Amino acid sequence: MKKIIHITLSILFLAMMLSSCRKQDAYYVKYYQIANEYRYPQVLESFAAKTGYYKAQLSWTKTVDPSLIIARIFWNNGKDSIEVDLKNLPVLNRNVVAVTIDGLSEAPYSFVAYTFDSEGRRSLPAETAVSIRGDEYAATLSTRNIVSVSSNGTEILITWGAPTKNLAYCEIEYISKSEGTKVIKVNPDQLSTLISDFDFNVAKDFRYRSVYIQEDSFEPFGTTWVSRDVTN
């Protein structure tokens, strides 16, 4: 009797072990095969965003996987998107490519991108965010002050005040004797600007503005042009 009970318990134990092994095998097959047979396409690397005037520039490292065909970029909680041909993109520098999205509002944005290969498989997501700037931001920018403007009928000397914070440069637009309408840049560290080719026979004033480029901007933001009489 004891022998029969011992044999019965052994059979039950063996059945339990086999059942456990089958479950482990099923778990192994389910997840190991997914991990090894389903190959995710290359994700967009170094995915980043910069702001422009009501627009965003999205950039990433140029993909090296030849099987990649397109990328889809989503924003506005997935309600808006664009499709990008990965084979035909402008190169910013070296191996960095970019695409620009226009018509955005002056607000924070989050972008999610997926790549797709020739078999229709989708990559893991790449995400980035940026605050888009527009008129409200531009209204906060200050024009660098001009302390004085002096002329002798041949040249114009402009004396500048202290540069404003984050100023990239100033622009002066005037009528040149030989070039017609001309625009020159003035660096923030310049305290004065001498214009020797101003056409006094045609113009009596020039105009200027300040230009700012923030670290998260891909294009400059300029203040409104201001006119200045050269005869005063």
Side-chain angles (χ1 to χ4, degrees):
M1 185 67 179
K2 289 182 179 180
K3 185 176 182 180
I4 294 174
I5 293 174
H6 178 73
I7 293 172
T8 301
L9 290 175
S10 298
I11 293 173
L12 288 173
F13 178 77
L14 180 60
M16 291 173 64
M17 288 293 294
L18 290 172
S19 176
S20 176
C21 289
R22 290 192 186 99
K23 289 181 180 179
Q24 289 182 355
D25 288 342
Y27 180 90
Y28 177 86
V29 169
K30 180 180 178 181
Y31 292 97
Y32 181 83
Q33 286 186 345
I34 290 176
N36 286 271
E37 293 182 7
Y38 185 87
R39 187 182 71 84
Y40 286 104
Q42 180 185 353
V43 69
L44 293 186
E45 297 180 358
S46 302
F47 187 46
K50 288 192 173 185
T51 180
Y53 185 69
Y54 291 111
K55 66 184 73 168
Q57 183 190 72
L58 304 176
S59 63
W60 57 88
T61 303
K62 187 175 182 180
T63 55
V64 296
D65 186 345
S67 69
L68 294 183
I69 303 299
I70 62 170
R72 292 195 180 102
I73 302 173
F74 299 85
W75 67 96
N76 194 19
N77 293 321
K79 296 177 183 177
D80 297 308
S81 66
I82 60 169
E83 185 172 291
V84 179
D85 180 1
L86 294 176
K87 304 295 185 181
N88 185 25
L89 283 172
V91 178
L92 286 183
N93 53 70
R94 294 188 180 181
N95 62 338
V96 177
V97 296
V99 64
T100 301
I101 300 175
D102 299 306
L104 302 178
S105 300
E106 192 165 4
Y109 280 81
S110 295
F111 298 93
V112 181
Y114 298 90
T115 62
F116 293 81
D117 64 15
S118 56
E119 296 182 15
R121 293 177 295 194
R122 189 181 77 171
S123 72
L124 295 172
E127 300 181 36
T128 188
V130 69
S131 291
I132 301 303
R133 296 193 176 99
D135 290 336
E136 291 184 12
Y137 167 74
T140 67
L141 302 177
S142 300
T143 303
R144 186 178 183 182
N145 183 48
I146 289 181
V147 176
S148 65
V149 177
S150 60
S151 65
N152 57 10
T154 303
E155 298 176 328
I156 297 174
L157 179 62
I158 302 171
T159 303
W160 297 95
T164 49
K165 184 179 179 181
N166 296 322
L167 177 67
Y169 55 87
C170 288
E171 289 181 323
I172 302 174
E173 182 184 86
Y174 64 95
I175 304 299
S176 166
K177 294 176 183 178
S178 59
E179 302 178 44
T181 301
K182 183 177 180 179
V183 177
I184 61 173
K185 290 184 178 180
V186 179
N187 294 326
D189 58 352
Q190 287 183 242
L191 300 180
S192 63
T193 302
L194 181 66
I195 300 176
S196 58
D197 61 343
F198 188 89
D199 193 341
F200 287 90
N201 295 322
V202 175
K204 301 301 179 184
D205 62 1
F206 64 87
R207 63 178 195 160
Y208 66 101
R209 68 172 184 166
S210 294
V211 178
Y212 296 81
I213 302 178
Q214 303 287 2
E215 288 185 3
D216 62 349
S217 300
F218 73 93
E219 64 181 4
F221 286 81
T223 60
T224 303
W225 288 96
V226 178
S227 295
R228 185 66 182 260
D229 197 327
V230 299
T231 60
N232 294 337

